Amino acid sequence: MSPEAFHAAAMALPGATMTVQWGDDQVYKVGDKMFAVMGPGAAQGGVSFKASDVAFEVLTETGRAIPAPYLARAKWVKLDDLASFDDAEVADWLKTAHALVAAKLTKKARAQLGL
């Protein structure tokens, strides 16, 4: 997956927004809560997202991803080489990350976002 495809997949999700934080990191949010981050130089890695409990275990135990620094306790993973992953696979992980974060929003916030 390319950084452009990652951006497009994240922004295609309902209520998704992107802000630039911490220098040059692109932070993807739903309801002002982040679900994915793409750092500069994302083609060589630097992409993190929230994962389900099962996906976190599978991705980290198989070595396809590492626990994301600072966010591992919240079940975030970091991909070292975004280019080596299939577009559909990463888009599905982003959809799951978005859904996990959106589920924690208040009913009012979800309604305002059309979720």
Side-chain angles (χ1 to χ4, degrees):
M1 176 174 255
S2 69
E4 295 80 16
F6 183 92
H7 175 77
M11 293 304 293
L13 298 167
T17 60
M18 189 275 294
T19 60
V20 176
Q21 293 179 220
W22 311 305
D24 292 332
D25 290 344
Q26 294 179 0
V27 180
Y28 297 90
K29 299 179 179 183
V30 58
D32 211 31
K33 304 286 183 187
M34 50 183 218
F35 66 91
V37 176
M38 181 168 57
Q44 293 82 36
V47 174
S48 300
F49 54 86
K50 178 141 179 79
S52 68
D53 292 346
V54 172
F56 180 85
E57 295 302 322
V58 169
L59 289 169
T60 57
E61 287 180 8
T62 60
R64 296 187 73 203
I66 61 170
Y70 309 108
L71 293 169
R73 72 183 186 289
K75 304 294 185 192
W76 278 62
V77 295
K78 179 177 185 261
L79 303 182
D80 284 331
D81 184 13
L82 181 61
S84 69
F85 289 90
D86 179 65
D87 287 14
E89 186 175 35
V90 176
D92 189 48
W93 291 330
L94 285 172
K95 184 177 178 183
T96 299
H98 177 274
L100 290 168
V101 173
K104 299 280 185 174
L105 298 173
T106 64
K107 286 182 182 181
K108 181 179 177 181
R110 287 194 308 268
Q112 288 173 337
L113 294 169
L115 303 174

